[in-house]
């Protein structure tokens, strides 16, 4: 029978391996990516009344939010946080994003939480370029406005 310590260590190794895979995927994506379009203006926490995302029928979203979802998928975040962001080895992002500020989110993504098994993604170009979009997608999931699963652009 495996001890809890062994399982925790195995989980941390899997998280690090996922991070390394995600980094490789993101860098390969970046090399083949089409030229960047104008990015949206930065959202301030003071402008909380302005929606971060637009969604229709829970599965059709604006282009920026769609890019956030694509970033989530490309980096294989579901390996630790679950396919529906419900939590697995990593915590539920549905719950975390209900109370986490945007600045805490950005810090966690860029710097990681190594002691908890969260690797840093601040050196991954796709993450840095899409951190606002990723936040918008996860916030929409947390607020229940965006359904889990495949998303499409609003036409």
């Amino acid at each position: 029978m495996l001890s809890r310590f062994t399982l925790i260590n195995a989980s941390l190794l899997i998280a690090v391996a996922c991070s390394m895979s995600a980094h490789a995927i993101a860098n390969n994506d970046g090399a083949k990516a089409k030229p960047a379009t104008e990015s949206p203006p930065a959202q301030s926490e003071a402008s909380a009344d302005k929606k971060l995302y637009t969604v229709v029928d829970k599965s059709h979203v604006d282009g920026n939010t769609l890019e956030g979802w694509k970033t989530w998928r490309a980096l294989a975040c579901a390996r630790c946080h679950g396919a529906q962001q419900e939590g697995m080895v990593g915590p539920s992002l549905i719950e975390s994003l209900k109370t986490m500020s945007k600045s805490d989110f950005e810090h966690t993504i860029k710097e990681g939480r190594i002691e908890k098994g969260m690797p840093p993604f601040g050196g991954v170009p796709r993450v840095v370029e899409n951190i606002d979009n990723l936040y918008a997608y996860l916030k929409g999931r947390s607020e229940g406005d965006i359904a889990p699963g495949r998303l499409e652009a609003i036409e």
Side-chain angles (χ1 to χ4, degrees):
M1 180 175 264
L2 294 174
S3 71
R4 181 181 168 135
F5 180 75
T6 303
L7 290 174
I8 291 171
N9 282 339
S11 297
L12 288 173
L13 286 173
I14 290 169
V16 170
C18 291
S19 171
M20 292 170 66
S21 295
H23 183 66
I25 289 168
N27 282 341
N28 286 339
D29 259 1
K32 297 176 186 174
K34 52 190 166 195
T37 57
E38 183 177 324
S39 60
Q43 299 273 339
S44 71
E45 290 178 8
S47 66
D49 56 335
K50 183 176 179 189
K51 271 297 201 186
L52 297 171
Y53 53 87
T54 302
V55 61
V56 176
D57 296 331
K58 293 197 174 240
S59 64
H60 292 78
V61 296
D62 63 274
N64 291 333
T65 304
L66 188 61
E67 283 304 311
W69 174 74
K70 288 178 180 180
T71 299
W72 164 269
R73 302 267 305 167
L75 295 172
C77 302
R79 289 182 181 176
C80 293
H81 293 285
Q84 298 182 8
Q85 300 79 35
E86 73 278 14
M88 288 177 42
V89 175
S92 165
L93 298 179
I94 299 295
E95 294 305 316
S96 295
L97 269 286
K98 289 180 181 177
T99 58
M100 181 182 279
S101 71
K102 186 172 182 211
S103 61
D104 284 346
F105 172 82
E106 289 179 0
H107 179 77
T108 299
I109 298 298
K110 290 178 181 175
E111 304 300 321
R113 289 188 177 163
I114 302 302
E115 71 283 357
K116 293 185 177 187
M118 172 71 180
F121 289 94
V124 180
R126 183 168 190 153
V127 172
V128 174
E129 293 165 8
N130 285 290
I131 198 155
D132 290 340
N133 301 334
L134 180 60
Y135 179 76
Y137 164 65
L138 292 172
K139 196 68 173 163
R141 285 286 300 120
S142 177
E143 293 174 351
D145 295 332
I146 299 175
R150 184 167 186 79
L151 296 180
E152 295 183 25
I154 296 171
E155 294 185 21

